[in-house]
Amino acid sequence: MAYETKLVVVTSATGAQVSLLLHDSGLSSLTGLHLKGSSIVRYLLKYSSNLYAVRAVTRDPESAKSRALAALGAEVVAGDFDNEDSVRNALSGANILFQNTDFWTTVSEEKEFAQGLTIAKAAAAQPNLEHVVFSALGDPEKLFDGKYKHNLPYNAKARIERAIKKDYPELWAKTTSLLVALYHSNWLMPPFAPVKVADGKFELQNPYPADAHITLTSPEETGIVVEAIIRGGDKFHGRTVSIVSEWISDEKKLQIWAQALGVEATFKQVTSLQYRQRLEAMGFPPYLAQGSQELLSMLGEGVNYISGGDIIDAKTIVDPSHHFKTWAEYAKEADWSSIL
């Protein structure tokens, strides 16, 4: 197919597809964890369709989410990240690539790592590829003296990044890394959500202090930010951009949330072991319970490690009139029926 505009290929365009392991454990709601791809597709089609054609890569082009993107004008194609031919076909003709893999689809660091390299190999072979936006996370080997080395979602992304730099240096030279804060919507899903302990009373249990500040944002923000990055072209090559809407503690989040819903909510700090045991009771295998606990514990260090230094603040590259959604706004508008 020939394109008069530049072709943007977005991987994982409909968010995570939960692994059978988690589905069998009753945790299928974790599919909502990662919605970057959908936000990007929707934003480009709504505001920049004169500049870009958009191809959304998903495992199931017939899903409701896929059909919704197709109805907006996206070319929706199947992409199996475990199959080189499938990935090669999905990326064919790409001028711009948003590369995202999802740990929660496979719940395996090794599988996500392999998928990331498969995408990179296919991308490196595209003759007209101008720009890659790589969905990144911090490197547990470098952060906090390496004490969270079992933070599995972060490990996979960091290993993919290191491998691309080593094996495909020309590809990495035209890549922008994108760091995104914790999503507001994570609170809609176990194990991140407050738990109902009595009528109108809730408790949030986490393995860090109530006053530890954590960076937050909304998945919808990725659309306008990625558009700004690809519009900026090579001036963002080799740079890192981060999306942070606010820096707020769970204590404050609970206060805002409880007020918005008219309920009572308290925070309980638990030990790392207690947190892992809770996840195992929910159906998480031990390795995944530990990986999730280390993820939460690292977030709860109270350090904004995705801002500052040479990292570009996304708020400085988008239209100054754009408003980044706050937790207070999200708490009022979200559907909390799954928790209440």
Side-chain angles (χ1 to χ4, degrees):
M1 182 182 296
Y3 298 91
E4 295 181 359
T5 52
K6 291 186 178 182
L7 174 60
V8 180
V9 175
V10 179
T11 64
S12 301
T14 53
Q17 295 188 355
V18 75
S19 72
L20 290 176
L21 182 153
L22 291 178
H23 189 277
D24 291 343
S25 300
L27 297 172
S28 58
S29 60
L30 283 168
T31 55
L33 277 171
H34 300 288
L35 303 171
K36 303 184 194 77
S38 174
S39 170
I40 295 164
V41 172
R42 292 175 182 276
Y43 188 89
L44 292 178
L45 290 173
K46 184 174 182 179
Y47 296 105
S48 300
S49 59
N50 61 318
L51 299 174
Y52 309 111
V54 183
R55 180 184 296 160
V57 182
T58 176
R59 285 186 179 273
D60 182 9
E62 297 303 319
S63 71
K65 291 180 180 179
S66 297
R67 291 198 300 271
L69 295 182
L72 293 174
E75 176 194 2
V76 179
V77 302
D80 180 355
F81 298 161
D82 297 319
N83 184 299
E84 287 193 13
D85 289 337
S86 176
V87 174
R88 189 181 306 112
N89 290 335
L91 269 58
S92 177
N95 301 116
I96 299 161
L97 169 66
F98 177 75
Q99 177 174 349
N100 182 43
T101 51
D102 181 74
F103 172 80
W104 300 100
T105 299
T106 64
V107 290
S108 167
E109 178 185 333
E110 293 302 324
K111 287 184 179 179
E112 185 185 0
F113 174 64
Q115 289 179 347
L117 290 192
T118 297
I119 295 172
K121 180 180 179 180
Q126 295 303 313
N128 298 314
L129 188 66
E130 303 170 4
H131 200 162
V132 178
V133 180
F134 177 80
S135 179
L137 290 170
D139 189 341
E141 289 191 2
K142 298 178 180 178
L143 293 168
F144 308 109
D145 297 321
K147 70 176 180 178
Y148 299 116
K149 291 182 179 178
H150 295 285
N151 181 347
L152 303 180
Y154 277 55
N155 281 349
K157 289 285 200 304
R159 288 177 60 196
I160 294 168
E161 180 175 328
R162 289 195 294 268
I164 297 174
K165 288 178 179 177
K166 176 179 177 291
D167 298 336
Y168 304 103
E170 292 184 2
L171 181 67
W172 190 256
K174 52 188 173 187
T175 296
T176 305
S177 294
L178 180 67
L179 298 170
V180 182
L182 189 70
Y183 288 146
H184 295 141
S185 52
N186 281 16
W187 254 35
L188 284 167
M189 296 159 287
F192 305 102
V195 176
K196 190 174 184 178
V197 293
D199 286 345
K201 295 184 178 180
F202 295 81
E203 183 177 79
L204 179 65
Q205 298 182 10
N206 276 324
Y208 51 75
D211 60 357
H213 282 58
I214 296 175
T215 58
L216 291 181
T217 195
S218 168
E220 288 84 1
E221 311 296 358
T222 57
I224 189 171
V225 174
V226 169
E227 197 274 346
I229 291 171
I230 61 179
R231 187 187 289 265
D234 59 8
K235 76 176 183 179
F236 290 114
H237 287 178
R239 303 299 303 275
T240 298
V241 176
S242 72
I243 306 176
V244 177
S245 298
E246 58 190 323
W247 198 37
I248 186 173
S249 68
D250 275 1
E251 186 175 49
K252 184 64 173 178
K253 285 174 66 180
L254 270 178
Q255 178 186 343
I256 293 170
W257 182 77
Q259 184 176 0
L261 275 68
V263 299
E264 295 180 26
T266 57
F267 182 94
K268 180 181 179 181
Q269 182 177 357
V270 296
T271 66
S272 296
L273 177 60
Q274 288 172 325
Y275 190 81
R276 292 198 300 269
Q277 290 173 334
R278 174 178 165 237
L279 296 190
E280 289 181 30
M282 294 171 62
F284 281 61
Y287 85 93
L288 187 58
Q290 181 181 3
S292 300
Q293 172 262 305
E294 292 204 13
L295 165 63
L296 265 291
S297 294
M298 194 168 95
L299 291 171
E301 285 281 350
V303 176
N304 180 359
Y305 52 82
I306 67 170
S307 299
D310 293 331
I311 299 174
I312 300 170
D313 182 349
K315 292 180 179 179
T316 67
I317 68 172
V318 301
D319 187 323
S321 66
H322 177 72
H323 172 70
F324 283 74
K325 185 180 294 183
T326 66
W327 170 252
E329 292 166 335
Y330 180 80
K332 291 179 181 179
E333 70 182 32
D335 178 5
W336 298 103
S337 57
S338 61
I339 295 175
L340 301 177

